[in-house]
Amino acid sequence: MTLEFDEFHHNPVVNCLLVPDSVIKVHLSLSAPADGDELFPDLSGAKVEISDGKKALELIHTGSGYYQTPELPQPGKAYSLKVPLDNNVLLKSETKIPVKPDIKITSLPDRNLAKVTISDKPEEQNFYWVGIKIFIKNSESYQYE
């Protein structure tokens, strides 16, 4: 099958992950056609603003389409992101940082397993990604599963 993207139009792409132990960081880029080796072009020169409803912060452009602020998002707070673009397009989103759940890990050595129990607020619909980091002695490297 031959894909044709003759009338392809770049669209803005926003990537932002708010994690309480990391600074607020946003990456802006443009979409790219799937029929080439082109990387997603960075989008620089934008005004990126994040607000917790009481205080609004303008993120600083740090290069390569990245914008950030040294502030950390706070658990339990709701945040809104606004990115006005030159063509009268306003990109916006909202999210709430969940409060840290209660996590219990129970070792089951006889079965070579660990049981992970995550308890959070039942009225919230949160998703968790559970993984393990293993150190491999002979190669002195880490493996993630």
Side-chain angles (χ1 to χ4, degrees), residues 11-15 27-31 40-43 65:
N11 290 303
V13 178
V14 178
N15 286 302
H27 183 255
L28 300 180
S29 61
L30 295 172
S31 60
F40 296 101
D42 297 324
L43 185 57

Side-chain angles (χ1 to χ4, degrees), residues 100-108 113-120 128 130:
K100 185 176 181 180
D102 180 36
I103 301 173
K104 292 183 181 157
I105 301 173
T106 308
S107 179
L108 306 171
L113 295 173
K115 179 182 177 184
V116 178
T117 306
I118 301 172
S119 301
D120 68 357
Y128 298 96
V130 179

Side-chain angles (χ1 to χ4, degrees), residues 23-51:
V23 297
I24 297 173
K25 194 173 195 179
V26 175
H27 183 255
L28 300 180
S29 61
L30 295 172
S31 60
D35 65 341
D37 295 334
E38 184 178 358
L39 298 173
F40 296 101
D42 297 324
L43 185 57
S44 299
K47 178 181 177 183
V48 179
E49 182 182 282
I50 194 155
S51 171

Side-chain angles (χ1 to χ4, degrees), residues 70-133:
E71 299 214 14
L72 304 179
Q74 299 300 307
K77 281 192 173 184
Y79 290 88
S80 62
L81 178 71
K82 292 182 184 178
V83 183
L85 299 175
D86 292 339
N87 53 359
N88 290 327
V89 171
L90 176 64
L91 306 176
K92 60 183 180 175
S93 67
E94 294 180 357
T95 191
K96 182 178 179 186
I97 310 300
V99 174
K100 185 176 181 180
D102 180 36
I103 301 173
K104 292 183 181 157
I105 301 173
T106 308
S107 179
L108 306 171
D110 56 322
R111 296 173 45 198
N112 198 26
L113 295 173
K115 179 182 177 184
V116 178
T117 306
I118 301 172
S119 301
D120 68 357
K121 294 182 177 182
E123 67 273 9
E124 293 182 358
Q125 187 176 4
N126 297 315
F127 299 89
Y128 298 96
W129 191 13
V130 179
I132 187 169
K133 179 179 172 182

